[in-house]
Amino acid sequence: MKQIAVFLIAMLLCNLLFPVSHAADDDIIIEGTTLVSYSCYATEFVIPDGVTVIAPGAFSEASRLKGIKIPASVVEINFAALATGFRALEAIHVATDNPAFYSIDGVLFSKDGTLLLYPPGRGSKEYTIPDGIKVIGSNSFSKASVDKIIMPDSVEEIGPGAFSMIQPTTNLTNHYEVQFQFSNRLHTIGQGAFSLANVFHITLPESVKTIEDYAFQFCNKLESIELPDGVEYIGKYAFSG
């Protein structure tokens, strides 16, 4: 009975937020306490309290969402749930008493020190990652529009696909690039971390030891990259294309 009530509340929210559309039975699928699928046409979604897990692909059809509110009950978010679907998303807000996650200015973080998602629709001339963040998570900036990323020295790792397809805020991509100010403690650049990114020049800090497979694949505007003396491993196809 409790599960049915949670489902009905979620359906009602979807209709209230976007009343022109009519939610079908499968617009929001919650199995037990897991949000399995969301496919409403609403621009805002309040995840029902009681949901504890956001499943992989839960938002794969959420291209219109601009805002999401995560309740305190959510303690698990599969990274694949964040990697697809979002195009217009501008902000994620997390309940202040959530034990696992938090948000700052609409950007999602985990309390273990990982930046999980910079909403692709947020846009910014310059974004400074908060001090204390150790990992820039998988696909966290994928398809985002930012002119400059500044990393604090707490950042040690850039995850797979973290900056894939990132572009500057202007459309004049022949003249503008995304600029990076790297952490002086960065040691690992993950698989495909900058694949298809709009970058011209990269200077990596002396701390970098590992550049994984496909790290800069298809960065066809990349004119130069400065590698530190201490690099110990460069993966396959790291600079292909």
Side-chain angles (χ1 to χ4, degrees):
M1 185 65 70
K2 183 178 180 180
Q3 293 175 12
I4 295 173
V6 169
F7 177 78
L8 290 174
I9 291 170
M11 294 285 286
L12 178 61
L13 284 170
C14 189
N15 282 320
L16 288 173
L17 291 167
F18 202 82
V20 175
S21 67
H22 296 282
D25 290 343
D26 58 353
D27 282 341
I28 299 174
I29 298 177
I30 297 173
E31 295 180 355
T33 60
T34 299
L35 175 63
V36 175
S37 178
Y38 171 91
S39 57
C40 289
Y41 288 99
T43 57
E44 303 284 337
F45 178 45
V46 179
I47 296 175
D49 192 23
V51 169
T52 62
V53 178
I54 300 177
F59 292 103
S60 61
E61 297 181 31
S63 60
R64 298 192 184 204
L65 266 181
K66 291 185 177 181
I68 297 175
K69 292 185 178 180
I70 298 176
S73 58
V74 172
V75 293
E76 181 181 337
I77 301 175
N78 188 288
F79 81 91
L82 306 176
T84 58
F86 295 132
R87 296 173 187 169
L89 191 67
E90 297 174 357
I92 296 178
H93 300 287
V94 182
T96 56
D97 52 345
N98 187 295
F101 307 102
Y102 66 99
S103 60
I104 300 176
D105 296 330
V107 181
L108 179 65
F109 302 88
S110 67
K111 291 189 176 180
D112 65 359
T114 300
L115 190 157
L116 293 175
L117 182 64
Y118 180 96
R122 184 178 186 270
S124 179
K125 293 291 184 181
E126 182 175 294
Y127 179 67
T128 299
I129 295 169
D131 192 22
I133 297 303
K134 294 182 179 180
V135 179
I136 300 174
S138 300
N139 301 295
S140 51
F141 285 85
S142 182
K143 301 179 184 179
S145 296
V146 190
D147 290 341
K148 185 176 182 179
I149 302 287
I150 300 173
M151 303 178 194
D153 284 342
S154 59
V155 172
E156 299 176 354
E157 181 179 346
I158 297 175
F163 296 106
S164 61
M165 294 178 278
I166 192 171
Q167 296 191 28
T169 56
T170 176
N171 290 325
L172 300 175
T173 54
N174 289 329
H175 302 284
Y176 291 89
E177 65 170 326
V178 181
Q179 297 180 332
F180 290 89
Q181 182 177 314
F182 291 101
S183 162
N184 288 317
R185 294 182 182 175
L186 177 67
H187 57 70
T188 301
I189 295 176
Q191 190 174 82
F194 291 88
S195 179
L196 292 163
N198 203 98
V199 291
F200 293 175
H201 307 281
I202 293 287
T203 300
L204 296 177
E206 290 297 322
S207 55
V208 170
K209 302 294 183 184
T210 301
I211 300 173
E212 298 284 2
D213 301 346
Y214 315 106
F216 293 90
Q217 187 180 41
F218 300 132
C219 291
N220 55 18
K221 290 183 172 62
L222 184 62
E223 297 175 3
S224 68
I225 182 164
E226 294 185 26
L227 304 179
D229 293 338
V231 170
E232 299 171 353
Y233 176 81
I234 297 177
K236 63 183 180 182
Y237 307 114
F239 302 102
S240 68

